[in-house]
Amino acid sequence: MSVETNEILSSYGTTVFEVMSRLAIENEAVNLGQGFPDEDGPEDIRQIAAEGLVSGPNQYPPMMGHPDLRQAVAEHNLRFYGLEINWQKEVLVTSGATEALADCCLALLNPGDEVILIEPLYDCYLPLVERAGATPIPIRITPPEWKLDRDALEAAFSDKTKFILLNSPMNPAGKVFNENDLSFIASLVIKHDCIALCDEVYEHIFFEKHQHKPLMTFEGMRDRCIRIGSAGKSFSLTGWKVGYITAPEMLLATITKSHQFLTFTTPPNLQIAVAAGLRKDVSYFNDLAIEMQQKRDYLKAGLEKLGFSVIECEGTYFLTVDISSMSSGMNDVDFCKDMTVNGGVAAVPVSAFYKNDAPDHFIRCCFCKKYDVLEEALRRLARYLNKHEDQVIEAAKAHERS
Ligand code: PMP
Ligand code: GLN
């Protein structure tokens, strides 16, 4: 039988996260590839989910989301960003940020529309935009500074631009767009009378002087932004796949149309538990960022001692690592495979985050892992690269949590 399947989705392989995780399992490698913490998030949240599962109800919650979670999302917007949100009309609960992104692309895009994307980009953006019939217009930020090229961005806008998809803090670059960049982006969105789809799943994972400020808080942007969050990242519960969209009523009404035909709803016990999470004290969110920052520093120090050049990371779970002087001429894809199979440590090739003409000498290493897992990864890499194991661990431990 020959069935002609969708030509856009058929043209994509299996996602790099799954490919590298499978290879890591096959080779019993330490997995610094796919971005997930290896410690589950707060027990009190998980307890609420467990109790909700046993006591019920376990039937369809309202299509737009459990009222408790929608209210909690609105409260969270007000508490952290001063955004006044109508929880009944401006919040939608989704099965993860991925569904939220799909809902938005399917609801907003028509053939002929253009979507501005910033490379290196998260893997589902291109297929979702293309499958929705629009044309991706990629621009790129370049390491080591990951500076926004304002001329290129300005030139990417046209009268066909439907939205810019902005991910800040940005996976995999670890960039947190600063106030100046955001003001500039806002001015272009307003000038071209379009909108911004803001993937803010790492909204609570930023470091040092860097701060996350939603584009929606900028002047003139309240009704031009769609803001996406994820419990996976904010509560270290990536397997739950609970996401939430905050958007002006006029846009959310249409986005809800795609949601109703895609998933319709999300497990009720998880929604109630995430609502409690969003109401946690500010210290919980601060501690999350501090813990991630310490792990970042630990892994960075170890990788640098091994001889890698590591690019500054302002937020997210990820370090971008330059392998040029360490990979014996292998490109990022081959190096990641070799490192997994022969070194017992998996990472993700950064070329997977580009549409065309990708740089081929960067890999992404995830640091949201237990310290002993990070230590084991560094020990294995030291042996793989013939480096002095104890010196590498000593350098990393200089940054360990006291
Ligand atoms: N956007 C970015 C930038 C991500 O890194 C991820 C992966 N967590 C997602 C969206 C998808 O999030 P979720 O697991 O909630 O679907
Ligand atoms: N967001 C995670 C990452 O960047 C992966 C999520 C997934 O595997 N789909 O690694």
Side-chain angles (χ1 to χ4, degrees):
M1 189 175 78
S2 117
V3 178
E4 215 171 293
T5 54
N6 177 259
E7 58 191 35
I8 292 166
L9 293 182
S10 309
S11 74
Y12 283 90
T14 304
T15 93
V16 72
F17 309 123
E18 179 67 18
V19 169
M20 291 315 301
S21 284
R22 275 189 213 161
L23 198 64
I25 291 167
E26 274 163 34
N27 291 279
E28 293 179 9
V30 177
N31 191 356
L32 304 186
Q34 193 176 25
F36 61 90
D38 58 3
E39 283 175 295
D40 283 345
E43 196 175 333
D44 56 350
I45 304 182
R46 287 185 279 131
Q47 197 62 44
I48 295 169
E51 282 160 16
L53 192 71
V54 174
S55 66
N58 284 288
Q59 310 310 323
Y60 297 129
M63 188 258 285
M64 290 191 71
H66 195 291
D68 194 32
L69 178 51
R70 282 148 69 205
Q71 283 167 38
V73 170
E75 288 163 22
H76 183 266
N77 272 303
L78 183 63
R79 183 158 64 113
F80 284 89
Y81 310 119
L83 286 166
E84 292 199 19
I85 302 297
N86 177 334
W87 69 268
Q88 283 164 304
K89 295 182 173 161
E90 297 186 307
V91 176
L92 177 70
V93 176
T94 59
S95 291
T98 312
E99 190 220 308
L101 289 158
D103 290 345
C104 294
C105 289
L106 293 175
L108 300 171
L109 296 173
N110 286 307
D113 286 341
E114 293 180 353
V115 173
I116 299 173
L117 301 166
I118 306 179
E119 291 175 325
L121 42 75
Y122 182 58
D123 77 330
C124 69
Y125 295 172
L126 274 174
L128 288 179
V129 167
E130 288 175 346
R131 188 65 186 88
T135 307
I137 308 290
I139 65 151
R140 61 180 57 183
I141 55 171
T142 311
E145 282 90 18
W146 299 120
K147 194 168 174 291
L148 181 67
D149 179 341
R150 292 189 172 199
D151 294 336
L153 181 62
E154 193 158 10
F157 277 83
S158 78
D159 56 5
K160 297 196 184 117
T161 306
K162 178 56 74 67
F163 59 78
I164 175 169
L165 206 174
L166 180 69
N167 174 214
S168 183
M170 184 176 178
N171 175 11
K175 177 184 173 80
V176 179
F177 283 79
N178 64 29
E179 183 118 14
N180 287 340
D181 284 342
L182 293 171
S183 295
F184 183 69
I185 294 169
S187 72
L188 291 174
V189 169
I190 293 167
K191 182 173 162 197
H192 291 272
D193 195 20
C194 57
I195 54 183
L197 177 53
C198 302
D199 177 346
E200 302 182 9
V201 299
Y202 298 101
E203 64 186 315
H204 290 295
I205 306 178
F206 51 81
F207 312 129
E208 289 133 355
K209 65 181 189 320
H210 305 284
Q211 291 288 325
H212 173 65
K213 192 169 173 195
L215 194 64
M216 190 180 252
T217 63
F218 284 67
E219 209 184 324
M221 295 304 284
R222 170 66 174 77
D223 288 338
R224 290 186 182 276
C225 286
I226 300 161
R227 208 174 93 66
I228 297 175
S230 169
K233 303 294 146 38
S234 291
F235 304 108
S236 304
L237 295 164
T238 60
W240 280 20
K241 300 294 284 188
V242 178
Y244 20 91
I245 302 178
T246 304
E249 182 184 354
M250 184 261 300
L251 295 174
L252 197 69
T254 310
I255 295 166
T256 303
K257 301 268 168 67
S258 35
H259 166 74
Q260 71 183 356
F261 297 132
L262 278 179
T263 60
F264 184 77
T265 193
T266 300
N269 63 320
L270 302 184
Q271 295 199 44
I272 293 163
V274 170
L278 286 172
R279 294 193 176 106
K280 272 189 175 294
D281 193 80
V282 69
S283 61
Y284 162 77
F285 298 95
N286 291 342
D287 290 350
L288 175 70
I290 290 167
E291 190 189 337
M292 291 302 165
Q293 183 179 317
Q294 285 167 337
K295 290 183 169 180
R296 174 201 67 172
D297 292 344
Y298 182 97
L299 186 63
K300 183 169 187 281
L303 290 171
E304 284 176 341
K305 192 73 186 173
L306 284 165
F308 290 104
S309 162
V310 182
I311 289 165
E312 286 307 314
C313 163
E314 303 169 350
T316 73
Y317 290 162
F318 309 112
L319 286 174
T320 302
V321 181
D322 187 337
I323 56 165
S324 359
S325 63
M326 307 288 288
S327 60
S328 316
M330 276 182 273
N331 67 20
D332 60 343
V333 175
D334 291 340
F335 186 70
C336 281
K337 282 188 191 145
D338 194 69
M339 197 170 98
T340 308
V341 174
N342 298 318
V345 179
V348 166
V350 168
S351 57
F353 299 86
Y354 289 81
K355 181 168 165 57
N356 293 313
D357 304 321
D360 65 356
H361 56 285
F362 295 102
I363 63 171
R364 190 193 79 172
C365 295
C366 178
F367 51 76
C368 58
K369 305 291 173 186
K370 292 187 199 112
Y371 282 100
D372 56 355
V373 171
L374 295 175
E375 176 174 339
E376 176 62 16
L378 289 171
R379 285 193 184 280
R380 289 181 181 201
L381 287 176
R383 295 196 288 270
Y384 171 64
L385 298 162
N386 292 318
K387 297 289 160 91
H388 199 292
E389 207 172 304
D390 289 339
Q391 282 174 9
V392 170
I393 300 307
E394 213 172 288
K397 284 203 166 157
H399 293 275
E400 195 169 10
R401 181 172 34 178
S402 52

